[in-house]
Amino acid sequence: LSGNGSKVSLIYLRPVIRFGVIKDVLKIGIPSSLQMFFRTIMYMTVISLVASFGMKAVAAFGIVMRLQMTILMPAFALGGAAATFMGQNLGAGNPERARKSVWTATGFDFAIMLAVGILFFTLARPIISVFNSDPALLDMGSRFLRITSFFYIFIAFGIVLGRGLGGAGDTFVPMIITALALWGYLVPMAYYLSQKTALGLQGIWWAIATSYAVHALLIIIWFETGIWRKNQPTF
């Protein structure tokens, strides 16, 4: 303030630029954004494969994927909790408690996914019929739901452990793992099984389902290396 108290000097409004913080934000944010980009492009690619089997197949795919996004909400919530636990415990200098906290959150989501998987497998056809009663679509959608329901438990590891790694500032390797699971496995496997084998459309369903296991396995291996303990954000 000036002497008469009526003016504010701009010098007090000058922002303090902390380049270390900016670097850490970009280091964490860019790989996370790229993961979403990889998933979006993969989704479009898989839809093009599904579309080769007709619009009913596309509709069945859309219904099951919307159901999946709904049941992923607990995984995202627990993943957010895991990231918080990770950051707090690492900040407190207790990486082992951080690890146990993330695994505990993963265990909760594992139980949820197991229950949902059993429910979806048992009631696949009635669930799909809520959205569409066309017999052909019911067959396609219920098969897709039953196949993927076996693999929902792996989603808990992929999402919750992945978010936990993000809480340690480790997003680059999870980005690479996501790219490998989607573009190194899911897309080529979906193409091969659907176009080069007798599985046809079900080959795409199996490729999507097993990609959950591939992603989870790679995330578990990376998490258990403990390298994330040395890869914390500096802010």
Side-chain angles (χ1 to χ4, degrees), residues 2 17 35 63-64 176 202 210:
S2 63
I17 300 176
Q35 285 192 58
I63 290 171
V64 175
I176 298 300
Q202 289 189 61
T210 53

Side-chain angles (χ1 to χ4, degrees), residues 141-221:
S142 59
R143 286 196 190 101
F144 186 15
L145 196 56
R146 285 196 178 102
I147 290 170
T148 54
S149 65
F150 282 115
F151 293 86
Y152 283 158
I153 55 173
F154 294 105
I155 294 176
F157 299 101
I159 293 180
V160 182
L161 287 182
R163 294 296 177 92
L165 287 167
D170 186 357
T171 56
F172 180 76
V173 173
M175 176 196 72
I176 298 300
I177 290 174
T178 298
L180 287 174
L182 298 180
W183 291 97
Y185 178 82
L186 194 162
V187 172
M189 186 61 70
Y191 173 79
Y192 174 76
L193 293 178
S194 65
Q195 305 297 320
K196 304 297 182 180
T197 74
L199 285 173
L201 180 61
Q202 289 189 61
I204 300 176
W205 304 159
W206 279 108
I208 292 172
T210 53
S211 72
Y212 302 152
V214 171
H215 183 251
L217 179 62
L218 294 175
I219 286 289
I220 290 170
I221 291 172

